[in-house]
């Protein structure tokens, strides 16, 4: 029971949003775009983006997919760092 109450307390502790949190999220999105550039078979399918060279030459569907992955990675990293007390 003590573990459950500790988990609930930790899970509901508010996470302060700041410059560090934003930088971590941006870095995770850049990592996700780099991973997608190396692994996606048809990255430029779908509607093109203006200045697509900034996004690894991807189309809109590829960008939405990779930034979704980047946000999942970023949330995990931010929550993990917050959980161990580094943020």
């Amino acid at each position: 029971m003590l573990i459950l109450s500790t988990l609930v307390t930790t899970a509901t502790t508010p996470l302060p949003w700041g410059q560090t949190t934003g930088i971590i999220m941006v870095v995770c999105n850049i990592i996700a775009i780099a991973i997608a550039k190396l692994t996606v078979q048809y990255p430029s399918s779908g509607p093109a983006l203006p200045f697509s060279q900034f996004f690894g030459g991807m189309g809109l569907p590829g960008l939405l997919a990779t930034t979704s992955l980047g946000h999942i990675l970023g949330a995990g990293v931010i929550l993990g760092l917050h959980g161990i007390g580094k943020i």
Side-chain angles (χ1 to χ4, degrees), residues 7-86:
L7 179 64
V8 170
T9 304
T10 304
T12 59
T13 304
L15 180 64
W17 181 263
Q19 187 175 15
T20 305
T21 309
I23 290 170
I24 291 170
M25 187 62 75
V26 168
V27 168
C28 287
N29 276 291
I30 290 171
I31 290 170
I33 290 171
I35 290 170
K37 184 175 168 95
L38 297 173
T39 59
V40 173
Q41 190 171 11
Y42 302 108
S44 61
S45 65
L49 292 171
F51 303 109
S52 65
Q53 68 271 16
F54 293 122
F55 304 106
M58 291 185 208
L60 181 62
L63 180 69
L64 291 176
T66 56
T67 54
S68 295
L69 174 64
H71 277 75
I72 292 170
L73 290 173
V77 169
I78 290 167
L79 290 174
L81 289 173
H82 180 68
I84 62 172
K86 297 294 181 182

